[in-house]
Amino acid sequence: MSTPVIDNAIEDYALLSDLETAAMVGRDGSVDWLCLPRFDSPACLAALLGTRENGFWQVAPLARGPCTHRAYRPDTLILDSVWETATGTVRVTDFMPPRAQLPCLVRVIEGLSGSVPMRSELRLRFHQGRVVPWIRVADQFTVAVAGPDAVWLSADGPVGSSGEEDSTVDFTVSAGHRLALTLVWAPSHRPVPPGALSVPAETVLKETGDYWRRWTGRCPYRGPWRDAVVRSLITLKALTYAPTGGMVAAPTTSLPGCVGGERNWDYRYCWLRDSTHALSCLLRSGYREEATAWLDWLVRAIAGDPADLQTVYGVGGQRLLAESEAPWLPGYQDSRPVRFGNSAVGQFQLDVYGEVLDALYRAAQAGIPLPGHVWSLVEALMGFLHRHWREPDQGPWQVRGPRRQFVHSKVMTWVAADRALRMGELLGRNGSSARWRAMRDEVHQQVCSQGWDAEQGTFTQSYGSAELDASALLIPRVGFLPAGDPRVRGTVRAMSGLDDGGFVRRYAQGGRGVHDVDGMRGREGTFVACSLWYAHALAVTGHAEEGREAFERVLGTRNDVGLLAEQWDPRTGRQLGNAPQAFSHVALVETAFALAAEPSPSPRSPAASDRR
């Protein structure tokens, strides 16, 4: 008997999180991705990257099919999915309570009308969808064990059994009746985890809703896109590993930038490139506690020799994230290889120095207490950068092609020197100011002479190249040049060369051949964050209405529950890349704040029915 292939689109998935790990649940009621006990742990449900044989948990009517409609409860991460069937209507409420003890996923099934036959089918496959566990029934629990992992499944009411493999139960819900199924992970050497399974589901549901509503109530944004901003902030909170404050780029790995291609990366880690954007976003949105935790994670992660500064770290600050491939997983819609770990840890990227120093400066400017050794850290980072900034690197996009003199890397080198000087003024430390000021001036002059293409009237991707790169849109954002500078305006106009259906690519890409910059085959989709940077740049260069139109086009690419992936394919109207993507949601929040400050008639935020 063949195993069904998972054919859900990336935008069919909603996010659940307990602030330490995440689950992805499809419109068909199937949880097809879950890593336990934390974001970067091996997956025990991995059908998202293969077939149902690689692990899933589906709770849905026996008739199957996608739900009729679904939505998060307002200002929460609690998901309601409703099926209207021929015999009645049923609602499944999915949530993960913020972690108190052990990771827990709760699914509450309620009959709304009539009578609906249901099935819960749980197929656990530990170690990245590969290892079949030993399953036993103990009292009212079903227990699955493999190596260090144990998962306990319980129900708070009577359920039958279909007698099939793994854990499959059939039951019927009638109007007014409810049943809660609870899945808990624990180390396999531990006894039954009674605390996580003994609290009534209704109590846990209320506590979870109260938690999220209290948290979202702190957001000061009251602009025209409040729903989108709040949903993005909830998503960013959901992607934050609470014990350390680190924010993962996405909860998934190997969702492709090109379906059927090789642009498949593991994003379950924390990128330094996100540091400045995330810190600014959190502070602007009123989440000082989260900004402080993120900064604390950053300072701990980068401790050590500045020559060893990595582009990416684990949620605990770990450095060893060895990249490997999983040949037993066929990949999302045959997109191979499936990768775990990320070799970007070994890349040399100059821009991260600017991003780290900008984050430290913004924190000091906001009055966030900094560790006593922070100035020594600044001096160490600047000392290394002073010696090495002229070297080529692998750029902001972590290309796997040859190193180049990327313009954005040099711009961020300027940012590093500028912010170090500003921090020195703020903290009363100016011993190295003359050397840093000279470096800042030299970098600025070099970028403006070697990174500027006078014929095209734009900054380019790298020195001596005519190629465009959307990262140039950040030049006014970081203060390298003012928004009114003719070179900035020319660069924004030139971005039409990266336009695809009203959205912006990171850089120009070829067809099926190997691209000479990134070393990969095939075209990827347009980049969501870049499209948002473009909207922001339009607004600050005097085209506010065009900026709002570009922004609302991006809003239209959200899925039905308000989530953005890394990329968007305007040709197929589909999301691409790992999802939901923190960088996309950070850019959404920052752009919404920026656009709301520009005078204009109140724009219309697309309703769910208007979205693609």
Side-chain angles (χ1 to χ4, degrees):
M1 180 178 177
S2 62
T3 304
V5 174
I6 301 301
D7 60 0
N8 283 335
I10 292 172
E11 60 268 22
D12 287 336
Y13 286 96
L15 171 74
L16 307 174
S17 172
D18 65 356
L19 311 184
E20 295 190 32
T21 191
M24 300 295 288
V25 55
R27 291 179 57 86
D28 59 356
S30 183
V31 177
D32 292 335
W33 183 253
L34 177 63
C35 298
L36 293 172
R38 67 186 208 178
F39 292 110
D40 55 359
S41 297
C44 63
L45 303 178
L48 180 62
L49 299 179
T51 71
R52 292 167 74 88
E53 184 55 39
N54 298 120
F56 71 99
W57 183 17
Q58 186 171 27
V59 176
L62 271 175
R64 302 306 197 196
C67 62
T68 308
H69 56 88
R70 65 177 180 171
Y72 287 116
R73 295 188 181 181
D75 294 346
T76 77
L77 202 63
I78 298 170
L79 181 71
D80 286 326
S81 302
V82 176
W83 282 263
E84 296 173 357
T85 74
T87 60
T89 303
V90 63
R91 176 173 62 210
V92 177
T93 300
D94 293 323
F95 65 99
M96 298 180 76
R99 186 82 62 91
Q101 297 176 346
L102 298 170
C104 176
L105 171 57
V106 183
R107 315 196 72 177
V108 179
I109 305 98
E110 297 179 84
L112 302 182
S113 68
S115 181
V116 182
M118 300 286 294
R119 171 170 288 179
S120 168
E121 187 174 0
L122 174 62
R123 181 171 298 171
L124 288 155
R125 295 294 183 264
F126 293 102
H127 192 61
Q128 319 290 31
R130 188 179 191 182
V131 176
V132 180
W134 170 53
I135 297 178
R136 61 188 173 90
V137 178
D139 299 324
Q140 70 271 40
F141 307 117
T142 298
V143 188
V145 176
D149 302 295
V151 166
W152 301 73
L153 177 66
S154 70
D156 65 358
V159 292
S161 175
S162 67
E164 297 184 9
E165 64 173 343
D166 299 312
S167 179
T168 303
V169 293
D170 293 342
F171 53 94
T172 298
V173 289
S174 302
H177 293 164
R178 56 166 297 284
L179 174 72
L181 303 173
T182 302
L183 181 150
V184 175
W185 176 93
S188 59
H189 64 274
R190 292 267 298 272
V192 57
L197 294 171
S198 60
V199 180
E202 288 301 317
T203 300
V204 179
L205 177 59
K206 181 181 184 306
E207 291 174 348
T208 301
D210 290 345
Y211 170 85
W212 283 110
R213 282 185 285 270
R214 283 194 304 270
W215 190 84
T216 55
R218 292 158 50 193
C219 176
Y221 179 82
R222 295 293 183 270
W225 302 288
R226 178 172 169 78
D227 288 348
V229 168
V230 169
R231 179 52 53 197
S232 290
L233 289 169
I234 289 174
T235 303
L236 295 175
K237 177 68 171 176
L239 297 180
T240 300
Y241 184 66
T244 66
M247 183 186 297
V248 297
T252 56
T253 178
S254 300
L255 292 182
C258 174
V259 173
E262 60 180 336
R263 298 174 182 271
N264 316 316
W265 315 112
D266 193 346
Y267 276 12
R268 299 171 302 147
Y269 307 113
C270 308
W271 264 258
L272 292 191
R273 71 166 189 187
D274 299 350
S275 59
T276 296
H277 299 280
L279 188 72
S280 173
C281 172
L282 292 168
L283 287 173
R284 176 175 281 181
S285 303
Y287 293 100
R288 186 183 178 89
E289 180 181 337
E290 284 74 12
T292 301
W294 169 244
L295 183 75
D296 288 346
W297 172 87
L298 175 67
V299 172
R300 291 193 304 270
I302 66 176
D305 186 346
D308 292 331
L309 194 65
Q310 296 183 178
T311 62
V312 57
Y313 295 83
V315 294
Q318 67 269 33
R319 291 170 172 261
L320 298 178
L321 308 174
E323 186 175 298
S324 62
E325 297 181 3
W328 62 90
L329 288 171
Y332 175 84
Q333 296 187 4
D334 294 322
S335 302
R336 298 183 179 91
V338 171
R339 295 181 174 95
F340 294 101
N342 200 305
S343 66
V345 296
Q347 289 191 336
F348 176 52
Q349 288 183 236
L350 285 167
D351 66 296
V352 299
Y353 291 86
E355 280 140 7
V356 167
L357 287 163
D358 193 21
L360 293 175
Y361 170 66
R362 287 175 183 267
Q365 193 178 37
I368 294 176
L370 298 174
H373 67 280
V374 73
W375 187 249
S376 296
L377 174 62
V378 170
E379 290 184 315
L381 293 173
M382 283 301 299
F384 176 84
L385 197 56
H386 189 269
R387 295 189 299 274
H388 296 280
W389 73 265
R390 295 176 181 84
E391 298 175 14
D393 73 336
Q394 284 158 308
W397 307 122
Q398 300 155 183
V399 297
R400 301 200 174 195
R403 292 184 181 184
R404 297 170 184 254
Q405 298 284 4
F406 284 101
V407 169
H408 182 73
S409 297
K410 305 307 183 188
V411 168
M412 293 308 295
T413 298
W414 177 92
V415 169
D418 181 74
R419 302 317 190 255
L421 287 166
R422 292 173 184 268
M423 279 193 72
E425 294 173 0
L426 199 62
L427 303 177
R429 307 283 191 115
N430 55 11
S432 301
S433 59
R435 184 175 61 172
W436 295 349
R437 187 171 290 108
M439 172 184 162
R440 181 181 65 176
D441 293 344
E442 183 181 354
V443 175
H444 197 280
Q445 183 180 16
Q446 186 185 95
V447 169
C448 291
S449 62
Q450 298 186 46
W452 172 256
D453 185 328
E455 184 175 341
Q456 292 189 90
T458 182
F459 284 99
T460 59
Q461 183 177 66
S462 60
Y463 292 174
S465 167
E467 298 294 332
L468 300 175
D469 194 302
S471 61
L473 290 165
L474 296 175
I475 284 175
R477 292 267 294 273
V478 300
F480 184 85
L481 287 173
D485 190 287
R487 290 165 293 184
V488 170
R489 294 177 180 272
T491 298
V492 175
R493 286 194 299 270
M495 288 300 144
S496 61
L498 296 178
D499 178 86
D500 187 350
F503 301 90
V504 179
R505 294 186 176 275
R506 292 189 291 179
Y507 44 84
Q509 293 177 340
R512 297 183 178 181
V514 176
H515 193 273
D516 64 342
V517 171
D518 62 26
M520 307 300 294
R521 293 180 177 83
R523 292 167 60 89
E524 64 180 6
T526 61
F527 208 72
V528 172
C530 294
S531 298
L532 290 164
W533 297 346
Y534 181 59
H536 186 281
L538 283 170
V540 300
T541 55
H543 304 280
E545 192 56 39
E546 291 179 46
R548 288 183 175 87
E549 291 173 1
F551 179 67
E552 291 188 349
R553 277 198 298 273
V554 176
L555 292 188
T557 71
R558 294 174 297 158
N559 71 357
D560 59 315
V561 291
L563 301 181
L564 289 167
E566 179 185 37
Q567 299 174 31
W568 173 256
D569 186 348
R571 303 178 187 189
T572 62
R574 301 286 294 275
Q575 292 186 356
L576 292 171
N578 286 302
Q581 177 82 359
F583 210 41
S584 299
H585 285 282
V586 166
L588 187 154
V589 174
E590 288 190 309
T591 306
F593 270 99
L595 292 178
E598 299 290 332
S600 175
S602 180
R604 181 178 69 93
S605 180
S609 59
D610 295 333
R611 299 175 192 140
R612 303 182 191 186

